[in-house]
Amino acid sequence: MTILPDQTRPPAPSRPALKALNDARVRSAVIQALTLLAVFVGLWWIVSNTVANLAVRNMSAGFGFLDVSAGFGIGFTIIPYQEGDTYLRVFFVGIANTLLVAIVSIVLATVFGLIVGLARLSDNWIIGVVARSYIEIIRNTPLLLQIIAWYFGVFNLLPRPRDSIELGAGFVLNNRGFYLPAPVAEAGLGAFLLLCGAAVAGAVGLYLWSNRRLEKTGQSFPALRVGAALVIGVPALAYLALAPVSWDMPELQGFNFQGGTSVPPAFCALIVALSAYTSCFIAEIVRSGIQSVPKGQLEAAGALNLPPNWTLRRVVMPQAMRVIIPPLISQYLNVTKNSSLAIAIGFPDLVSVWMNTSLNQSGRAIPIVAMTMAFYCTVSLAVSAVMNVYNKRVQLQER
Amino acid sequence: MAPKVFVPSPDRPPPVDTSGPLVWIRRNLFRDVPNTLMTLLGAYIAVTFVTAVVDWALIDAVWQAESRRECLDLVGRSGACWPGVFVWFENLIYGLYPKDQVWRINTGFLLLVVWMVPLWMPRVVSKVAIGLSAVMLYPFLASYFFLGGEKGLVWTALIAAGLWGLIWVWATALTETLTGKSVGTWLIGRLGRSGADEATQMRIRRGAALALFVVSVLLVAPAEFVEVRTQFWGGLFLTLVISGIGITFSLPAGILLALGRRSKMPVVATLCTVFIELFRSVPLITILFMFNTMLPLFLPAGTEVNQLVRAIVAVCLFAAAYMAEIIRGGLQAIPSGQYEAATSLGLGYWQTTTQVVLPQALKIMIPAIVGNFIGLFKDTTLVSIIGLFDLMNMARAVGEDSNWLGLFIEPFFVVTLIYFVFCFAMSCYSMNLERKLSAGRERS
């Protein structure tokens, strides 16, 4: 084999300025400087346009309007609000409503998603098919469409208050909303809450103690069962003994229900649609998490003769949770963001009362948009910070 | 002593069935009491749901009526009232696009199908180039079909480029299928210049391309469509336009953002991270609102920005941020050995990225990417909140028509079906791809 000589090229004429660009560090510095320059020029252009436009339209970008009375009513609030309250108050009302929707939907979606996810894994064929159809139908249609369909198709068509659907125990459903009994504090409430807290603390302590004893001596203790008995039994007994709350029942008076507490139909539609939609994603997350545990782990547990519930609790779940938790949290964030679709059916969440009504009333586009985005960013960054810490703790240490 | 006689022991019972439909039923549906109860519960749910839908949508439904009042008088709420949907069906699909111009929409989408067909032809080699041309050149052609109106010099050239692309795609597909050669090589062969040196051949290729472009310009120049302004766009057509642009924009933009976020240059990395995190942490509706109210403020006084354009810009940026995180996931999954191997071969940054890393990263992320497309397609419904009449808003408008006042469930049912078909098709395609791609790695 002969080695062919390289075709020799004449050396490139050396130009010092271009030669410097061959150095990776210089090149990267130049690129970064140019990017920064471009971004600054772009921002400057936008800011100067905005200032000019604001001047033309006689608008101001300041936050001074926050102390001004907003002067419009809000249909549903969970923190006290009157028409004369300030814009700042409106902002907080919106945040409270958004968080309420998010929290209620998250709880419902998690419970339902867990059930559907397990049903999807069931070895009963027909249950698997029903669960799978449910997931595919809900997941492949837009959430906004579902919210609107629930609102116009179901909760708006419910009967008038006079022919309401009584669900028993004071729960009433009609086209004005969902009525439920409201708790009224009585004398024994403090002691009751104290006892409940003690029961929960006792159960947690018991669980930790039994884990430690198990690791040290190998003797097991039915901590879960005893703990459950504590957490359920103590409050139940205390409730009967102390009667800490009385219930204010909704009653039909004239054309509408009085007493109790109620949520508007838009809230019901939003909660049902959001939790149904999210539960499908959670179901798939649960399924993939459980399926991600290698079969060998189950076989190993079998070889050690672990009882089935131990296999589930000590072998499958800890490993599945590592896969489940991160996407689950991101679903929770999605619920919070998706609750902004409330605006389509007129439920007063943050986007609806703040970015829509307040913006139109006050015309302060820039501070209002900035505050809304700041709220969502804060929530999402806070959650991802917690998640990063969690991931660091749980991830397997690899190379 | 009696002689020993062989007495066969009695036959053992045949083995219990281990296969067949009956066994399957026993094992999967009626194994024990809880399992049987579950089966009954599942069957009950399925039967109730299916019969309720069938009763409502088919058996009790009204098929001919003049108004919703008539439907209600006939069957009340127990059956669907389809005539309202029939009357509105054309609007659900095409929006308020002039009826005599609707053929342009159909042709536009047909052109896309025609453009993409070679991608499924087995003997076609230049699939990447065809795919790229569909993304880069088809939009010019389609946008003129959809929008129409006056076309200046630049606009004419761009549309001609679109036509040029279409002709090139099919010329390539035909020559590659029939002769196994690319168009250029085939042409040179026909001209009998296969022996000519490289420079001459290149000149022939360029000349042919230019000639084709001139022909396309001549074809395009006289064609003139009536302008249909975007205010009249709506229905499924608008939904497809917005999601189509979002999808086409989000992939390249997402790749650039993801590369930027992983870049070693701190300024670039920070800027990309801030952009991605900002757009991912706020809901799409706030971004739509922001662009709707603030884009006019950001631009020099007097610039008019069409509302559709505002919505599309918002959707594109939002989709790009999500896509960037998916691509980044794919990039992180590539073992560092791949980078090291590429570096040791002397490949530079862009060569490593485009030839080694991206092909692998995109391949493993295909299911997630398609999932993101599905999400984007569903999210386009949000443009209805800022007042565009997309498919969903059109369905809502049916119930506000004075003839069909309050007719909400039926149009929503139809629209849900349309969305479902699109999304489910995409998700089946992605599952199919996933199965194909993991075929080599799976161990069962």
Side-chain angles (χ1 to χ4, degrees):
Chain A
M1 198 168 117
T2 54
I3 298 173
L4 296 169
D6 271 354
Q7 278 192 334
T8 47
R9 290 188 189 171
S14 68
R15 279 189 226 155
L18 286 182
K19 212 173 188 180
L21 277 183
N22 284 338
D23 184 340
R25 273 174 307 174
V26 176
R27 200 168 53 217
S28 110
V30 170
I31 292 176
Q32 298 192 54
L34 287 180
T35 322
L36 215 53
L37 188 71
V39 170
F40 273 123
V41 169
L43 280 182
W44 180 82
W45 184 72
I46 288 179
V47 168
S48 65
N49 280 336
T50 313
V51 169
N53 281 323
L54 287 178
V56 169
R57 294 172 205 201
N58 246 338
M59 284 158 71
S60 126
F63 286 88
F65 74 103
L66 288 177
D67 302 330
V68 178
S69 160
F72 56 84
I74 297 180
F76 174 81
T77 61
I78 53 168
I79 60 175
Y81 172 84
Q82 288 142 12
E83 243 182 77
D85 282 340
T86 58
Y87 275 111
L88 191 63
R89 187 90 185 161
V90 175
F91 181 60
F92 288 124
V93 167
I95 287 184
N97 282 353
T98 291
L99 290 180
L100 177 73
V101 171
I103 291 169
V104 175
S105 315
I106 283 174
V107 172
L108 290 178
T110 310
V111 173
F112 205 55
L114 193 64
I115 295 173
V116 177
L118 292 178
R120 175 96 165 71
L121 282 175
S122 155
D123 47 8
N124 184 308
W125 180 79
I126 202 157
I127 291 282
V129 168
V130 169
R132 172 134 198 256
S133 326
Y134 169 79
I135 293 174
E136 293 296 349
I137 291 174
I138 303 272
R139 206 168 57 151
N140 283 318
T141 43
L143 173 61
L144 184 59
L145 185 64
Q146 293 181 33
I147 291 177
I148 292 186
W150 277 104
Y151 183 64
F152 284 109
V154 178
F155 287 100
N156 246 5
L157 299 182
L158 288 175
R160 292 168 305 164
R162 202 172 291 193
D163 326 308
S164 317
I165 306 168
E166 306 259 356
L167 300 169
F171 292 88
V172 178
L173 204 54
N174 60 38
N175 65 0
R176 301 277 180 87
F178 181 50
Y179 292 79
L180 52 171
V184 182
E186 297 283 332
L189 185 65
F192 174 73
L193 289 181
L194 215 62
L195 274 176
C196 291
V200 171
V204 171
L206 191 71
Y207 185 73
L208 292 179
W209 169 80
S210 81
N211 261 1
R212 211 171 311 136
R213 197 177 73 140
L214 182 72
E215 270 164 29
K216 224 182 262 171
T217 66
Q219 286 168 308
S220 68
F221 178 82
L224 271 193
R225 262 176 246 172
V226 177
L230 263 181
V231 172
I232 296 168
V234 172
L237 287 177
Y239 183 85
L240 292 178
L242 296 169
V245 290
S246 60
W247 296 96
D248 178 18
M249 293 292 183
E251 304 276 350
L252 184 62
Q253 276 170 10
F255 291 109
N256 208 349
F257 276 84
Q258 302 292 325
T261 180
S262 70
V263 289
F267 181 84
C268 302
L270 193 61
I271 294 290
V272 171
L274 259 181
S275 20
Y277 186 75
T278 315
S279 72
C280 290
F281 290 90
I282 293 183
E284 284 299 273
I285 291 171
V286 168
R287 180 184 66 90
S288 72
I290 291 180
Q291 281 181 340
S292 76
V293 179
K295 219 174 168 187
Q297 296 283 324
L298 292 179
E299 290 164 354
L304 291 174
N305 201 16
L306 287 187
N309 65 336
W310 273 56
T311 313
L312 189 67
R313 248 174 53 209
R314 305 254 167 204
V315 178
V316 177
M317 279 331 261
Q319 301 187 64
M321 281 323 249
R322 201 158 42 211
V323 180
I324 290 176
I325 296 276
L328 188 66
I329 299 292
S330 95
Q331 280 306 319
Y332 290 169
L333 274 181
N334 277 351
V335 174
T336 316
K337 286 187 270 175
N338 283 339
S339 67
S340 60
L341 297 181
I343 189 176
I345 51 174
F347 177 77
D349 82 318
L350 180 63
V351 171
S352 165
V353 294
W354 188 243
M355 238 180 150
N356 196 32
T357 319
S358 297
L359 197 155
N360 289 342
Q361 292 253 330
S362 69
R364 309 295 170 102
I366 292 171
I368 283 183
V369 169
M371 282 171 81
T372 319
M373 293 200 145
F375 165 72
Y376 285 107
C377 281
T378 313
V379 172
S380 138
L381 290 182
V383 172
S384 28
V386 175
M387 276 314 296
N388 283 343
V389 174
Y390 171 84
N391 276 343
K392 282 228 175 74
R393 269 191 51 196
V394 196
Q395 274 329 314
L396 288 178
Q397 294 300 317
E398 290 183 36
R399 173 165 81 111
Chain B
M1 194 167 161
K4 271 194 168 173
V5 178
F6 172 71
V7 181
S9 55
D11 283 354
R12 282 198 239 159
V16 181
D17 279 357
T18 51
S19 63
L22 277 177
V23 177
W24 185 89
I25 286 177
R26 197 165 25 189
R27 194 172 296 157
N28 288 297
L29 297 179
F30 302 103
R31 195 180 44 221
D32 45 24
V33 176
N35 199 347
T36 310
L37 286 179
M38 295 287 266
T39 304
L40 292 179
L41 177 71
Y44 174 74
I45 295 175
V47 169
T48 326
F49 180 73
V50 171
T51 47
V53 170
V54 170
D55 276 351
W56 176 79
L58 298 175
I59 296 176
D60 289 344
V62 179
W63 301 93
Q64 277 186 333
E66 289 302 311
S67 70
R68 177 141 192 267
R69 195 84 321 272
E70 219 180 303
C71 286
L72 285 179
D73 290 342
L74 279 170
V75 291
R77 287 186 189 285
S78 67
C81 178
W82 294 123
V85 179
F86 295 151
V87 171
W88 274 76
F89 192 72
E90 212 162 321
N91 288 348
L92 287 181
I93 304 297
Y94 300 112
L96 301 178
Y97 213 82
K99 297 279 173 288
D100 55 336
Q101 298 294 321
V102 159
W103 65 270
R104 276 162 48 185
I105 298 181
N106 297 339
T107 321
F109 282 101
L110 195 69
L111 280 181
L112 180 63
V113 175
V114 169
W115 205 300
M116 305 284 263
V117 163
L119 290 179
W120 279 272
M121 290 167 45
R123 294 190 56 189
V124 175
V125 193
S126 348
K127 283 187 180 158
V128 175
I130 293 175
L132 273 181
S133 73
V135 172
M136 316 261 292
L137 298 178
Y138 166 76
F140 297 124
L141 197 56
S143 58
Y144 189 65
F145 265 95
F146 298 155
L147 203 57
E150 287 279 310
K151 47 185 197 292
L153 200 63
V154 181
W155 202 199
T156 313
L158 288 176
I159 303 162
L163 187 62
W164 179 88
L166 181 63
I167 299 173
W168 174 80
V169 163
W170 269 94
T172 307
L174 286 179
T175 52
E176 282 181 1
T177 309
L178 297 176
T179 65
K181 293 179 199 154
S182 75
V183 200
T185 323
W186 174 81
L187 190 69
I188 291 165
R190 293 290 296 186
L191 293 174
R193 303 294 288 274
S194 317
D197 60 295
E198 221 170 282
T200 322
Q201 292 202 359
M202 203 60 215
R203 227 172 292 137
I204 295 177
R205 280 165 204 259
R206 285 203 188 127
L210 194 67
L212 187 57
F213 184 71
V214 171
V215 172
S216 337
V217 171
L218 290 180
L219 280 174
V220 165
E224 174 99 34
F225 295 143
V226 189
E227 185 178 3
V228 181
R229 307 189 33 177
T230 53
Q231 284 94 313
F232 300 103
W233 295 20
L236 180 61
F237 164 58
L238 185 67
T239 296
L240 288 179
V241 165
I242 296 177
S243 48
I245 295 180
I247 286 172
T248 355
F249 177 82
S250 70
L251 198 55
I255 291 175
L256 285 183
L257 279 172
L259 290 175
R261 190 169 180 174
R262 279 171 63 82
S263 154
K264 290 201 188 70
M265 295 182 248
V267 171
V268 177
T270 317
L271 286 175
C272 291
T273 311
V274 168
F275 176 87
I276 294 173
E277 290 302 326
L278 184 69
F279 275 79
R280 271 165 46 88
S281 58
V282 297
L284 175 55
I285 186 69
T286 57
I287 298 176
L288 280 169
F289 263 129
M290 188 183 98
F291 275 88
N292 206 21
T293 52
M294 292 171 67
L295 208 55
L297 288 181
F298 288 162
L299 296 176
T303 350
E304 275 294 310
V305 189
N306 182 323
Q307 202 180 18
L308 179 62
V309 174
R310 295 182 211 169
I312 287 177
V313 170
V315 168
C316 282
L317 294 181
F318 183 78
Y322 273 80
M323 190 57 81
E325 279 304 272
I326 291 175
I327 309 262
R328 190 168 73 103
L331 292 177
Q332 275 173 342
I334 304 300
S336 45
Q338 295 286 326
Y339 290 94
E340 290 155 12
T343 313
S344 71
L345 286 176
L347 300 187
Y349 175 79
W350 287 107
Q351 281 173 314
T352 310
T353 306
T354 52
Q355 314 272 333
V356 180
V357 179
L358 269 184
Q360 302 183 59
L362 290 181
K363 191 172 143 187
I364 46 177
M365 293 321 275
I366 282 180
I369 291 173
V370 179
N372 199 36
F373 289 164
I374 297 177
L376 178 61
F377 184 72
K378 290 188 291 180
D379 277 346
T380 54
T381 46
L382 267 64
V383 300
S384 66
I385 295 179
I386 59 167
L388 292 176
F389 276 85
D390 73 324
L391 181 54
M392 202 204 73
N393 220 8
M394 268 298 167
R396 200 168 157 176
V398 178
E400 281 151 19
D401 180 353
S402 58
N403 253 347
W404 308 101
L405 210 60
L407 189 76
F408 287 114
I409 303 182
E410 288 82 351
F412 280 144
F413 186 80
V414 173
V415 166
T416 305
L417 277 185
I418 297 179
Y419 276 111
F420 179 78
V421 167
F422 274 90
C423 295
F424 192 62
M426 277 196 268
S427 93
C428 285
Y429 177 67
S430 109
M431 276 190 274
N432 184 18
L433 267 184
E434 198 174 352
R435 214 169 301 130
K436 246 192 234 167
L437 292 179
S438 69
R441 284 181 285 143
E442 198 104 310
R443 140 187 105 96
S444 49

